[in-house]
Amino acid sequence: MAELVLRNVSKSYGKHRVLKELCYTFSPGIYGLLGPNGAGKSTMIHLITDNLRPDNGEILYNGESIRNMGKGYREKLGFMPQQQRLYPNFTLERFLWYMATLKGLKKEEAVNQIPELLELVNLSDVKTRRLGGFSGGMKQRALLAQALLGNPEVIILDEPTAGLDPKERIRFRNLISRVAFNRIILVATHVVSDIEFIAKEIL
């Protein structure tokens, strides 16, 4: 069973301390990272994804420092960014193939996974449409699909329902619940309703 441990993690920007001696252990399930903008959610995400290094403390995955694991750790991650910076001229299918290539998936893996993920996020019927013509909700589901490529064990969703209408928010929450089995899923948000019914714990 996957285990992600933050042990006495601190991070400052100049004199501004964002995180102070943060300790937490994540096991499979959905976790809400709740707080207003500027609370430190994004900093925590960047530390967990190894895009930032903590000033003090360490982050362990299954007992090993993520700093020592390198590529082996990143292969276990799926990340859905807050901003919808998609390639407007790419079709959805081409976008997923491109992301599969960046993640280092073998062709056979991509051939099997991409249709399954399109079905999961209910976008199979628009796979040949350009992303520039997608609605906000469709783009969010496309970003979730790419985060799931490679069957990651840790999935990080940064403000996944930003800009969505109420129906799309509900649909997206249900989708997150469906993919949570045997995975650690972190959902960063400032909207309580996004995670109050699906998260097993809220930080």
Side-chain angles (χ1 to χ4, degrees):
M1 184 172 71
E3 184 179 74
L4 181 68
V5 177
L6 279 65
R7 184 180 293 167
N8 297 317
V9 171
S10 298
K11 183 66 182 177
S12 299
Y13 299 104
K15 294 182 179 180
H16 178 56
R17 176 167 282 181
V18 180
L19 299 174
K20 180 181 179 182
E21 297 177 1
L22 178 62
C23 296
Y24 206 82
T25 298
F26 298 97
S27 57
I30 301 172
Y31 297 82
L33 308 181
L34 183 65
N37 293 333
K41 301 189 301 295
S42 292
T43 295
M44 182 175 169
I45 286 171
H46 286 300
L47 290 168
I48 290 173
T49 56
D50 203 28
N51 286 320
L52 281 178
R53 296 286 170 86
D55 299 330
N56 301 103
E58 60 182 346
I59 300 174
L60 307 172
Y61 186 75
N62 289 343
E64 186 175 357
S65 169
I66 65 171
R67 184 177 297 185
N68 297 333
M69 292 178 68
K71 181 183 178 184
Y73 173 66
R74 289 189 293 275
E75 287 175 346
K76 300 181 185 302
L77 294 177
F79 180 63
M80 178 182 167
Q82 179 179 355
Q83 290 85 9
Q84 296 183 356
R85 292 176 180 171
L86 297 174
Y87 302 91
N89 292 322
F90 276 26
T91 65
L92 172 58
E93 193 170 41
R94 184 185 174 197
F95 170 65
L96 292 178
W97 271 100
Y98 176 65
M99 294 304 296
T101 302
L102 291 181
K103 290 188 175 192
L105 267 68
K106 295 178 181 177
K107 184 177 180 181
E108 314 87 76
E109 293 175 317
V111 165
N112 291 327
Q113 288 185 29
I114 288 174
E116 290 177 0
L117 291 173
L118 287 170
E119 188 71 27
L120 176 68
V121 299
N122 196 26
L123 291 175
S124 297
D125 57 337
V126 294
K127 64 183 181 182
T128 58
R129 280 179 52 185
R130 295 181 189 271
L131 295 172
F134 277 25
S135 68
M138 292 166 69
K139 287 179 180 178
Q140 293 299 80
R141 283 183 275 146
L143 284 170
L144 179 62
Q146 67 79 28
L148 293 169
L149 280 167
N151 292 317
E153 297 173 7
V154 179
I155 300 173
I156 300 169
L157 310 176
D158 192 3
E159 301 284 356
T161 62
L164 300 187
D165 63 37
K167 285 187 178 180
E168 279 286 1
R169 282 180 181 274
I170 294 170
R171 180 185 298 176
F172 207 87
R173 286 201 299 269
N174 293 338
L175 194 49
I176 293 169
S177 297
R178 286 177 61 190
V179 302
F181 182 70
N182 276 346
R183 289 181 166 125
I184 297 170
I185 299 185
L186 310 183
V187 183
T189 183
H190 61 275
V191 182
V192 176
S193 60
D194 280 354
I195 40 88
E196 64 179 334
F197 299 117
I198 62 171
K200 73 173 187 178
E201 293 184 30
I202 298 175
L203 285 73

